[in-house]
């Protein structure tokens, strides 16, 4: 004799629900059976809700939605959602909005001691990147940070030497504003534990003196803006554990074809195992 849907046990429903986002679960499954409601509406099952998206046109949230069970959330400024402090189980967060709004929410998460592990910031306006970094730095559980911005100014207004190192392992920065030596030097104390660094529009000029190092960095990806090859080599010397290097864009007039320069690069970084070029 076959099993009907109302005979499925709560633990089976809990396994099935892993493949649906939060709103789909509540609007499609709630009140189907008593066992379903037992899983969705009872905190005793520790059900984790994934993929909750609150954008410019949010759905009306189910009244019985347990915000402390939300595992991943995408939140837009236009959604006017003001209860992020209730999302105590949040592990992955994506914020889309102006810098001031983003920093306000981050400070609220810090006060609520939410153990975020992944944070993505989409900042369509103009803002100071250092202010975002400083606001994020108290989140000790954070291991992956991605920031995408139209125009993010990387000028640090305050001394960063006093900032505590974070536990961020992956840092991805995509911006239409170029990054330079001084910006990397200023961010090094905060990002000393990173293992993967991906930066768009890196602009390294001159013969700078630097005192920063990324001791644990294993993978580096850069989009270059006519950067002299010697500057690339000097940058690599700050990364003694580097294993993979990805270069996109152009260096100076000689391009990437200078054999002696590549020998110098591998000589200064004996840990390097793989280089990927995309012109």
């Amino acid at each position: 004799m076959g099993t009907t849907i109302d005979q499925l046990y709560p633990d089976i429903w809990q396994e099935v629900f892993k493949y649906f986002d939060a709103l789909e679960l509540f609007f499609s499954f709630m009140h189907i059976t008593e066992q379903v409601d037992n899983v969705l509406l009872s905190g005793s099952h520790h059900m984790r809700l994934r993929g909750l998206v609150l954008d410019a046109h949010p759905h009306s949230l189910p009244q019985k939605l347990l915000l402390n069970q939300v595992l991943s959330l995408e939140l837009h400024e236009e959604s006017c959602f003001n209860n992020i402090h209730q999302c105590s189980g949040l592990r992955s967060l994506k914020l889309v909005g102006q810098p001031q709004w983003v920093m306000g929410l981050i400070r609220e998460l810090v006060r609520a001691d939410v153990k975020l592990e992944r944070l993505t910031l989409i900042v369509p306006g103009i803002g100071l990147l250092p202010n975002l970094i400083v606001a994020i730095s108290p989140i000790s559980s954070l291991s992956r940070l991605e920031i995408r911005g139209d125009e993010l100014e990387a000028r640090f207004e305050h001394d960063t030497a006093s900032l505590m190192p974070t536990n961020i392992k992956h840092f991805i920065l995509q911006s239409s504003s170029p990054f330079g030596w001084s910006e990397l030097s200023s961010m090094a104390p905060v990002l000393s534990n990173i293992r993967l660094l991906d930066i768009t529009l890196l602009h390294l000029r001159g013969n700078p003196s630097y005192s920063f190092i990324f001791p644990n960095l294993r993978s580096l990806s850069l989009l270059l803006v006519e950067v002299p090859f010697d500057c690339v080599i000097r940058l690599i010397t700050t990364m003694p554990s580097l294993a993979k290097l990805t270069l996109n864009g152009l260096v100076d007039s000689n391009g990437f074809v200078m054999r002696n320069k590549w020998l110098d690069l591998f000589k200064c970084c004996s840990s390097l195992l793989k280089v990927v070029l995309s012109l």
Side-chain angles (χ1 to χ4, degrees), residues 213-267:
I213 189 171
F214 295 102
N216 303 309
L217 191 66
R218 299 285 294 168
S219 178
L220 175 66
S221 179
L222 303 173
L223 177 57
L224 305 173
V225 186
E226 297 183 350
V227 175
F229 204 104
D230 288 339
C231 285
V232 176
I233 295 176
R234 285 199 295 273
L235 178 61
I236 299 306
T237 61
T238 68
M239 305 166 183
S241 302
L242 190 67
K244 180 181 179 181
L245 173 64
T246 302
L247 298 176
N248 302 281
L250 298 172
V251 288
D252 52 21
S253 57
N254 292 317
F256 289 117
V257 296
M258 299 166 290
R259 180 176 178 272
N260 60 317
K261 297 293 186 181
W262 282 108
L263 292 176
D264 291 341
L265 186 146
F266 282 102
K267 197 175 298 182

Side-chain angles (χ1 to χ4, degrees), residues 182-240:
S182 60
E183 290 81 7
L184 279 174
S185 178
S186 298
M187 293 182 64
V190 184
L191 301 174
S192 59
N193 290 315
I194 58 170
R195 296 179 180 273
L196 180 148
L197 178 62
D198 186 342
I199 297 181
T200 345
L201 293 183
L202 190 69
H203 186 80
L204 304 176
R205 286 287 181 183
N207 187 21
S209 59
Y210 54 87
S211 58
F212 63 92
I213 189 171
F214 295 102
N216 303 309
L217 191 66
R218 299 285 294 168
S219 178
L220 175 66
S221 179
L222 303 173
L223 177 57
L224 305 173
V225 186
E226 297 183 350
V227 175
F229 204 104
D230 288 339
C231 285
V232 176
I233 295 176
R234 285 199 295 273
L235 178 61
I236 299 306
T237 61
T238 68
M239 305 166 183

